[in-house]
mmCIF file of all heavy atoms in Angstrom:
data_model
loop_
_atom_site.group_PDB
_atom_site.id
_atom_site.type_symbol
_atom_site.label_atom_id
_atom_site.label_comp_id
_atom_site.label_asym_id
_atom_site.label_seq_id
_atom_site.Cartn_x
_atom_site.Cartn_y
_atom_site.Cartn_z
ATOM 1 N N GLU A 1 -117.720 65.245 47.371
ATOM 2 C CA GLU A 1 -117.568 65.487 45.932
ATOM 3 C C GLU A 1 -116.950 64.324 45.238
ATOM 4 O O GLU A 1 -116.003 63.602 45.803
ATOM 5 C CB GLU A 1 -116.597 66.706 45.802
ATOM 6 C CG GLU A 1 -117.206 68.046 45.958
ATOM 7 C CD GLU A 1 -117.645 68.390 47.399
ATOM 8 O OE1 GLU A 1 -117.361 67.635 48.290
ATOM 9 O OE2 GLU A 1 -118.206 69.527 47.625
ATOM 10 N N TRP A 2 -117.424 64.025 44.029
ATOM 11 C CA TRP A 2 -117.200 62.715 43.422
ATOM 12 C C TRP A 2 -115.708 62.497 43.089
ATOM 13 O O TRP A 2 -115.200 61.404 43.228
ATOM 14 C CB TRP A 2 -117.994 62.579 42.081
ATOM 15 C CG TRP A 2 -117.990 61.249 41.496
ATOM 16 C CD1 TRP A 2 -117.225 60.770 40.444
ATOM 17 C CD2 TRP A 2 -118.831 60.169 41.860
ATOM 18 N NE1 TRP A 2 -117.508 59.477 40.195
ATOM 19 C CE2 TRP A 2 -118.491 59.025 41.072
ATOM 20 C CE3 TRP A 2 -119.762 59.992 42.848
ATOM 21 C CZ2 TRP A 2 -119.131 57.791 41.190
ATOM 22 C CZ3 TRP A 2 -120.397 58.724 43.015
ATOM 23 C CH2 TRP A 2 -120.049 57.688 42.196
ATOM 24 N N ASP A 3 -115.000 63.581 42.881
ATOM 25 C CA ASP A 3 -113.598 63.382 42.572
ATOM 26 C C ASP A 3 -112.730 63.274 43.861
ATOM 27 O O ASP A 3 -111.513 63.199 43.751
ATOM 28 C CB ASP A 3 -113.087 64.559 41.656
ATOM 29 C CG ASP A 3 -113.681 65.864 41.989
ATOM 30 O OD1 ASP A 3 -114.438 65.991 42.884
ATOM 31 O OD2 ASP A 3 -113.405 66.784 41.212
ATOM 32 N N ALA A 4 -113.337 63.238 44.950
ATOM 33 C CA ALA A 4 -112.645 63.049 46.277
ATOM 34 C C ALA A 4 -113.055 61.711 46.859
ATOM 35 O O ALA A 4 -112.273 61.152 47.775
ATOM 36 C CB ALA A 4 -112.833 64.127 47.228
ATOM 37 N N VAL A 5 -114.005 61.040 46.319
ATOM 38 C CA VAL A 5 -114.602 59.781 46.908
ATOM 39 C C VAL A 5 -113.648 58.657 46.878
ATOM 40 O O VAL A 5 -113.729 57.684 47.678
ATOM 41 C CB VAL A 5 -115.937 59.449 46.375
ATOM 42 C CG1 VAL A 5 -115.822 58.704 44.963
ATOM 43 C CG2 VAL A 5 -116.826 58.669 47.351
ATOM 44 N N GLU A 6 -112.647 58.672 45.939
ATOM 45 C CA GLU A 6 -111.713 57.536 45.847
ATOM 46 C C GLU A 6 -110.524 57.651 46.780
ATOM 47 O O GLU A 6 -109.618 56.802 46.798
ATOM 48 C CB GLU A 6 -111.166 57.413 44.412
ATOM 49 C CG GLU A 6 -112.313 57.047 43.421
ATOM 50 C CD GLU A 6 -112.713 55.665 43.514
ATOM 51 O OE1 GLU A 6 -112.112 54.810 44.076
ATOM 52 O OE2 GLU A 6 -113.901 55.409 43.098
ATOM 53 N N LEU A 7 -110.432 58.718 47.532
ATOM 54 C CA LEU A 7 -109.228 58.979 48.420
ATOM 55 C C LEU A 7 -109.065 57.815 49.423
ATOM 56 O O LEU A 7 -107.909 57.206 49.417
ATOM 57 C CB LEU A 7 -109.507 60.310 49.143
ATOM 58 C CG LEU A 7 -108.145 60.878 49.839
ATOM 59 C CD1 LEU A 7 -108.410 62.339 50.208
ATOM 60 C CD2 LEU A 7 -107.785 60.102 51.070
ATOM 61 N N PRO A 8 -110.017 57.412 50.228
ATOM 62 C CA PRO A 8 -109.758 56.298 51.201
ATOM 63 C C PRO A 8 -109.521 55.008 50.520
ATOM 64 O O PRO A 8 -108.684 54.139 51.085
ATOM 65 C CB PRO A 8 -111.050 56.270 52.049
ATOM 66 C CG PRO A 8 -111.729 57.557 51.764
ATOM 67 C CD PRO A 8 -111.318 58.002 50.339
ATOM 68 N N SER A 9 -110.166 54.716 49.395
ATOM 69 C CA SER A 9 -109.962 53.456 48.740
ATOM 70 C C SER A 9 -108.574 53.313 48.189
ATOM 71 O O SER A 9 -107.813 52.325 48.362
ATOM 72 C CB SER A 9 -110.991 53.289 47.631
ATOM 73 O OG SER A 9 -110.984 54.377 46.705
ATOM 74 N N GLN A 10 -108.057 54.321 47.438
ATOM 75 C CA GLN A 10 -106.775 54.288 46.894
ATOM 76 C C GLN A 10 -105.689 54.405 48.027
ATOM 77 O O GLN A 10 -104.570 53.844 47.909
ATOM 78 C CB GLN A 10 -106.613 55.365 45.765
ATOM 79 C CG GLN A 10 -107.563 55.122 44.688
ATOM 80 C CD GLN A 10 -107.290 56.061 43.446
ATOM 81 O OE1 GLN A 10 -107.195 55.673 42.346
ATOM 82 N NE2 GLN A 10 -107.368 57.376 43.806
ATOM 83 N N PHE A 11 -105.996 55.091 48.999
ATOM 84 C CA PHE A 11 -105.058 55.218 50.120
ATOM 85 C C PHE A 11 -104.792 53.749 50.736
ATOM 86 O O PHE A 11 -103.685 53.466 51.040
ATOM 87 C CB PHE A 11 -105.690 56.047 51.265
ATOM 88 C CG PHE A 11 -105.161 55.770 52.684
ATOM 89 C CD1 PHE A 11 -103.922 56.490 52.966
ATOM 90 C CD2 PHE A 11 -105.786 55.025 53.560
ATOM 91 C CE1 PHE A 11 -103.392 56.316 54.225
ATOM 92 C CE2 PHE A 11 -105.154 54.889 54.839
ATOM 93 C CZ PHE A 11 -104.027 55.442 55.206
ATOM 94 N N MET A 12 -105.793 53.008 50.866
ATOM 95 C CA MET A 12 -105.621 51.566 51.412
ATOM 96 C C MET A 12 -104.762 50.728 50.513
ATOM 97 O O MET A 12 -104.020 49.785 51.117
ATOM 98 C CB MET A 12 -106.967 50.909 51.699
ATOM 99 C CG MET A 12 -107.893 51.501 52.848
ATOM 100 S SD MET A 12 -107.002 51.326 54.427
ATOM 101 C CE MET A 12 -106.904 49.476 54.524
ATOM 102 N N GLU A 13 -104.687 50.904 49.268
ATOM 103 C CA GLU A 13 -103.866 50.079 48.378
ATOM 104 C C GLU A 13 -102.477 50.238 48.725
ATOM 105 O O GLU A 13 -101.590 49.262 48.558
ATOM 106 C CB GLU A 13 -104.048 50.490 46.974
ATOM 107 C CG GLU A 13 -105.463 50.169 46.409
ATOM 108 C CD GLU A 13 -105.680 50.684 45.000
ATOM 109 O OE1 GLU A 13 -104.662 50.811 44.258
ATOM 110 O OE2 GLU A 13 -106.778 50.962 44.540
ATOM 111 N N ASN A 14 -101.969 51.340 49.196
ATOM 112 C CA ASN A 14 -100.542 51.623 49.532
ATOM 113 C C ASN A 14 -100.105 50.678 50.590
ATOM 114 O O ASN A 14 -98.802 50.439 50.621
ATOM 115 C CB ASN A 14 -100.326 53.095 49.988
ATOM 116 C CG ASN A 14 -100.508 54.078 48.916
ATOM 117 O OD1 ASN A 14 -99.726 54.179 48.032
ATOM 118 N ND2 ASN A 14 -101.742 54.698 48.956
ATOM 119 N N TRP A 15 -100.834 50.167 51.424
ATOM 120 C CA TRP A 15 -100.414 49.351 52.545
ATOM 121 C C TRP A 15 -99.855 47.923 52.008
ATOM 122 O O TRP A 15 -99.161 47.197 52.821
ATOM 123 C CB TRP A 15 -101.486 49.148 53.603
ATOM 124 C CG TRP A 15 -101.741 50.427 54.298
ATOM 125 C CD1 TRP A 15 -102.724 51.273 54.150
ATOM 126 C CD2 TRP A 15 -100.947 50.995 55.323
ATOM 127 N NE1 TRP A 15 -102.621 52.288 54.960
ATOM 128 C CE2 TRP A 15 -101.542 52.150 55.711
ATOM 129 C CE3 TRP A 15 -99.792 50.512 55.978
ATOM 130 C CZ2 TRP A 15 -101.050 52.955 56.647
ATOM 131 C CZ3 TRP A 15 -99.240 51.331 56.952
ATOM 132 C CH2 TRP A 15 -99.867 52.537 57.311
ATOM 133 N N LEU A 16 -100.143 47.556 50.809
ATOM 134 C CA LEU A 16 -99.739 46.336 50.287
ATOM 135 C C LEU A 16 -98.130 46.344 50.092
ATOM 136 O O LEU A 16 -97.482 45.296 49.960
ATOM 137 C CB LEU A 16 -100.281 45.988 48.948
ATOM 138 C CG LEU A 16 -101.794 45.707 49.012
ATOM 139 C CD1 LEU A 16 -102.343 45.377 47.616
ATOM 140 C CD2 LEU A 16 -102.122 44.612 49.951
ATOM 141 N N TYR A 17 -97.544 47.617 50.074
ATOM 142 C CA TYR A 17 -96.083 47.727 49.967
ATOM 143 C C TYR A 17 -95.378 47.937 51.280
ATOM 144 O O TYR A 17 -94.279 48.349 51.347
ATOM 145 C CB TYR A 17 -95.772 48.812 48.865
ATOM 146 C CG TYR A 17 -96.473 48.427 47.593
ATOM 147 C CD1 TYR A 17 -97.713 48.924 47.255
ATOM 148 C CD2 TYR A 17 -95.907 47.539 46.699
ATOM 149 C CE1 TYR A 17 -98.367 48.615 46.079
ATOM 150 C CE2 TYR A 17 -96.530 47.217 45.553
ATOM 151 C CZ TYR A 17 -97.708 47.763 45.192
ATOM 152 O OH TYR A 17 -98.276 47.384 44.006
ATOM 153 N N ASP A 18 -96.049 47.716 52.353
ATOM 154 C CA ASP A 18 -95.528 47.783 53.664
ATOM 155 C C ASP A 18 -95.216 46.507 54.152
ATOM 156 O O ASP A 18 -96.002 45.609 54.207
ATOM 157 C CB ASP A 18 -96.556 48.566 54.601
ATOM 158 C CG ASP A 18 -96.238 48.422 56.091
ATOM 159 O OD1 ASP A 18 -95.026 48.646 56.433
ATOM 160 O OD2 ASP A 18 -97.026 47.996 56.931
ATOM 161 N N LYS A 19 -93.900 46.241 54.648
ATOM 162 C CA LYS A 19 -93.590 44.980 54.977
ATOM 163 C C LYS A 19 -94.358 44.329 56.114
ATOM 164 O O LYS A 19 -94.686 43.146 56.078
ATOM 165 C CB LYS A 19 -92.014 45.033 55.407
ATOM 166 C CG LYS A 19 -91.437 43.639 55.725
ATOM 167 C CD LYS A 19 -89.987 43.713 56.210
ATOM 168 C CE LYS A 19 -89.457 42.388 56.665
ATOM 169 N NZ LYS A 19 -88.019 42.498 57.079
ATOM 170 N N THR A 20 -94.639 45.110 57.180
ATOM 171 C CA THR A 20 -95.327 44.573 58.299
ATOM 172 C C THR A 20 -96.716 44.137 57.863
ATOM 173 O O THR A 20 -97.264 43.043 58.310
ATOM 174 C CB THR A 20 -95.358 45.513 59.361
ATOM 175 O OG1 THR A 20 -94.062 45.956 59.736
ATOM 176 C CG2 THR A 20 -96.175 45.006 60.586
ATOM 177 N N THR A 21 -97.371 44.967 57.044
ATOM 178 C CA THR A 21 -98.741 44.625 56.525
ATOM 179 C C THR A 21 -98.685 43.275 55.704
ATOM 180 O O THR A 21 -99.545 42.407 55.838
ATOM 181 C CB THR A 21 -99.221 45.742 55.651
ATOM 182 O OG1 THR A 21 -99.409 46.894 56.503
ATOM 183 C CG2 THR A 21 -100.671 45.403 55.208
ATOM 184 N N MET A 22 -97.598 43.181 54.853
ATOM 185 C CA MET A 22 -97.514 42.015 54.025
ATOM 186 C C MET A 22 -97.468 40.754 54.791
ATOM 187 O O MET A 22 -97.901 39.677 54.488
ATOM 188 C CB MET A 22 -96.347 42.195 53.021
ATOM 189 C CG MET A 22 -96.157 40.961 52.099
ATOM 190 S SD MET A 22 -97.610 40.586 51.102
ATOM 191 C CE MET A 22 -97.753 42.056 50.081
ATOM 192 N N GLU A 23 -96.627 40.897 55.986
ATOM 193 C CA GLU A 23 -96.467 39.677 56.842
ATOM 194 C C GLU A 23 -97.883 39.334 57.495
ATOM 195 O O GLU A 23 -98.093 38.123 57.804
ATOM 196 C CB GLU A 23 -95.437 40.016 57.858
ATOM 197 C CG GLU A 23 -94.075 40.048 57.374
ATOM 198 C CD GLU A 23 -93.046 40.496 58.408
ATOM 199 O OE1 GLU A 23 -93.427 40.964 59.533
ATOM 200 O OE2 GLU A 23 -91.880 40.376 58.103
ATOM 201 N N MET A 24 -98.722 40.354 57.635
ATOM 202 C CA MET A 24 -99.991 40.044 58.281
ATOM 203 C C MET A 24 -101.030 39.411 57.310
ATOM 204 O O MET A 24 -101.780 38.577 57.645
ATOM 205 C CB MET A 24 -100.626 41.414 58.852
ATOM 206 C CG MET A 24 -99.903 41.900 60.051
ATOM 207 S SD MET A 24 -100.784 43.207 60.882
ATOM 208 C CE MET A 24 -100.859 44.533 59.681
ATOM 209 N N ILE A 25 -100.935 39.766 55.991
ATOM 210 C CA ILE A 25 -101.998 39.379 55.054
ATOM 211 C C ILE A 25 -101.591 38.158 54.273
ATOM 212 O O ILE A 25 -102.355 37.578 53.568
ATOM 213 C CB ILE A 25 -102.375 40.437 54.057
ATOM 214 C CG1 ILE A 25 -101.195 40.860 53.134
ATOM 215 C CG2 ILE A 25 -102.853 41.733 54.804
ATOM 216 C CD1 ILE A 25 -101.549 41.813 52.019
#
């Protein structure tokens, strides 16, 4: 369903505010 298709994409954006992830990228 079109209004659910953005779930994985917007989910991934949250990792930019994780310290360990920031150290990796």
Side-chain angles (χ1 to χ4, degrees):
E1 279 73 0
W2 192 259
D3 36 9
V5 80
E6 296 291 337
L7 192 168
S9 56
Q10 295 185 129
F11 161 82
M12 287 299 297
E13 294 177 23
N14 291 285
W15 290 100
L16 296 181
Y17 301 94
D18 166 50
K19 180 181 177 181
T20 304
T21 300
M22 182 55 67
E23 290 175 348
M24 292 192 295
I25 67 172

